[in-house]
């Protein structure tokens, strides 16, 4: 490779799409710099399990140093994130979704050029349809079966294409997975491997980018944590919603305090007794509810297992999907970083979650009968029946103290906002783009991987166009 390369930082969901697209559409060589050292996914797709509980337990593909505060009532805790080829796609729960119809419309003028509806997204991602498949009922675990039959008995319609139906306000059914047969798909097979095979792309593992090197407001290259300089004609940042902000902060390109990051808050109702789990799917079914005049604003997620092995507690997650709260990423003088999601900072978000929990009590009652075990609130010994008798304030207090994340961090550097233009280009430096979860103008009311991949594709084409002449 003699010509100055385009560097892609991070080889997660967005990085794979960007690198694969650039390798097809640009004459310049593509170099992917990935902090993680694991090559499993790249070399051997059979190493990719469908179980996200098992994937999460593998330290080689997990980042353990990310501490994040969920709500104002909580102390910072470890945040799940992937590290290595495939990024968080290596450890995620594989649930595909296009979100709700209002999501992209709600982005308004900050939606990227040419993207006005989910049909536009689908056209963009045409090549990835082989990386999705719908789970068969035979693959379900005990919590999936209990959730679906209990919801249907309670009047919620069975719908096995919820992932692809942005208008259905309520339903329950099987999930569509990012999977090829028995293996999780991360976009690496479809996008990264062909680029390497064609000699158009190189992937360097264990390459942690420390900062971008800029001269006269123009990108020159990047500096790795080892001090090594890597020359570049352009840089596309795909380090994730935290990683990209922090790298821009270290490089002095955005301020030390950046406000915007979002996630879906989720509370857990856990079986009192461990249950037998023989399905490889940690999550095989999902429910969608419309609560308090929202549309599809709550997810019910059946977790067949909460730990690796055949016997563990099951859990029902109740997640708020229509989020308005935004948190911040703050870099301190000593180089340390405070990450604060500040979830559920508005009264209306807390109210929706409380109403959702009150509604879920009867569904959980039916699940208890089917599973032969009671459920209790996470980090509290009370049974789920407590939700029916407790005051709104008491429930809110429990939610704020214990709610976790759906691990969908996004929207820390929204398109068309203070730092990026509508094409993902960094406003203050020529030759730098951001193309990962950070750029979503507002977090969609669904599992975000498909939207992240679609945004990455549009931005990559924009980069290809802008760098063609240079
Ligand atoms: C446990 C879990 C479950 C999830 N379940 C689902 C689900 O079921 N469905 C769904 O749609 N979404 C799910 N998600 C979310 C989804 O996986 C993420 O939103 C998506 O992977 C984000 O893509 P990304 O490309 O922005 O970042 P990532 O995929 O996280 O990739 C970022 C990559 O950049 C690398 N990197 C970061 N900084 C640097 C640096 N300075 N130098 C070099 N490399 C760097 C990282 O090592 C990483 O590999 C889940 C996530 C987790 C963690």
């Amino acid at each position: 490779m003699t010509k100055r390369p385009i560097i892609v930082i991070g080889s997660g969901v967005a990085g794979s799409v960007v690198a694969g697209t650039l390798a097809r559409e640009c004459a310049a060589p593509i170099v992917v710099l990935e902090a993680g050292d694991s090559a499993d996914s790249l070399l051997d797709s059979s190493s990719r399990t469908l179980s996200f509980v098992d994937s999460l337990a593998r330290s080689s593909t997990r980042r353990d140093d990310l501490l994040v505060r969920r709500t104002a009532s909580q102390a910072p805790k470890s945040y799940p994130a992937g590290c290595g080829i495939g990024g968080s796609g290596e450890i995620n729960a594989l649930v595909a979704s296009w979100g709700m119809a209002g999501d992209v419309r709600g982005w308004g003028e900050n939606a990227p050029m040419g993207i006005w509806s989910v049909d536009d997204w689908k056209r963009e991602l045409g090549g990835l349809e082989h990386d999705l498949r719908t789970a068969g009922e035979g693959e379900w675990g005990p919590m999936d079966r209990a959730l679906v039959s209990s919801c249907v008995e309670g009047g919620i319609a069975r719908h096995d294409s919820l992932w692809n139906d942005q208008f259905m306000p309520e339903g329950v059914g099987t999930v569509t997975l990012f999977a090829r047969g028995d293996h999780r798909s991360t976009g690496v097979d479809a996008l990264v491997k062909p680029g390497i095979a064609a000699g158009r792309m190189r992937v360097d593992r264990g390459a942690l980018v420390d900062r971008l090197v800029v001269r006269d407001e123009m990108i020159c290259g990047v500096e790795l944590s080892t001090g090594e300089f890597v020359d570049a004609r352009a840089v596309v940042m795909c380090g994730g919603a935290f990683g990209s902000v922090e790298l821009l902060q270290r490089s002095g390109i955005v301020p030390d305090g950046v406000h915007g990051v979002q996630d879906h808050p989720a509370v857990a109702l856990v079986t009192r007794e461990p249950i037998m789990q023989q399905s490889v799917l940690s999550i095989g079914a999902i429910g969608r509810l419309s609560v308090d005049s929202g549309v599809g604003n709550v997810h019910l997620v059946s977790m067949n297992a909460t730990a690796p092995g055949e016997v563990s507690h099951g859990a029902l997650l109740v997640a708020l999907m229509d989020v308005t709260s935004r948190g911040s990423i703050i870099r301190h003088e000593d180089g340390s970083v405070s990450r604060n999601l500040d979830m559920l900072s508005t009264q209306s978000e807390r109210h929706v979650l409380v109403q959702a929990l009150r509604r879920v009590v009867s569904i959980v009652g039916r699940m208890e009968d089917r599973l032969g075990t009671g459920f209790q609130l996470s980090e509290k010994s009370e049974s789920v029946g407590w939700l029916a008798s407790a005051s709104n304030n008491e429930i809110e207090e429990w939610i704020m103290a214990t709610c976790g994340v759906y691990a969908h961090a996004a929207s820390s550097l929204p398109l068309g906002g203070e730092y990026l233009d509508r094409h993902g280009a960094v406003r203050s430096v020529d030759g730098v783009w951001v193309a990962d979860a950070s750029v979503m103008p507002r977090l969609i009311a669904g599992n975000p991987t498909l939207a992240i991949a679609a945004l990455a594709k549009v931005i990559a084409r924009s980069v290809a166009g802008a760098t063609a002449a240079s």
Side-chain angles (χ1 to χ4, degrees), residues 10 12-14 34-35 80 84 87-88 92-95 207 209 239 407 436-437 447-449 452:
V13 168
E34 165 55 47
S88 296
N92 71 12
L94 301 172
V95 179
V209 178
D436 55 29
N447 310 69
T449 297
I452 292 167

Side-chain angles (χ1 to χ4, degrees), residues 9-15 33-36 52 56 63 80-84 86-89 91-96 178 207-210 238-241 243 247 250 406-409 436-438 447-450 452:
I9 300 174
S11 68
V13 168
L33 300 175
E34 165 55 47
F52 100 94
L56 262 179
R63 220 187 131 176
C83 184
S88 296
I91 61 166
N92 71 12
L94 301 172
V95 179
F178 293 97
L208 174 68
V209 178
D210 186 47
C238 298
L247 183 48
R250 286 201 296 277
Y406 222 177
H408 292 167
D436 55 29
S438 319
N447 310 69
T449 297
L450 277 169
I452 292 167

Side-chain angles (χ1 to χ4, degrees), residues 4-29:
R4 292 178 81 205
I6 299 176
I7 287 180
V8 179
I9 300 174
S11 68
V13 168
S16 300
V17 174
V18 168
T21 307
L22 291 178
R24 272 200 309 272
E25 299 196 10
C26 285

Side-chain angles (χ1 to χ4, degrees), residues 49 101 121 132-133 152 208 268 279 286 301 320 431 456 459 461 467 469:
T49 164
W121 295 129
L132 291 173
R133 79 168 171 80
V152 170
L208 174 68
S279 166
I286 200 158
V301 182
L320 177 72
I459 294 171
R461 284 216 265 96
T467 53

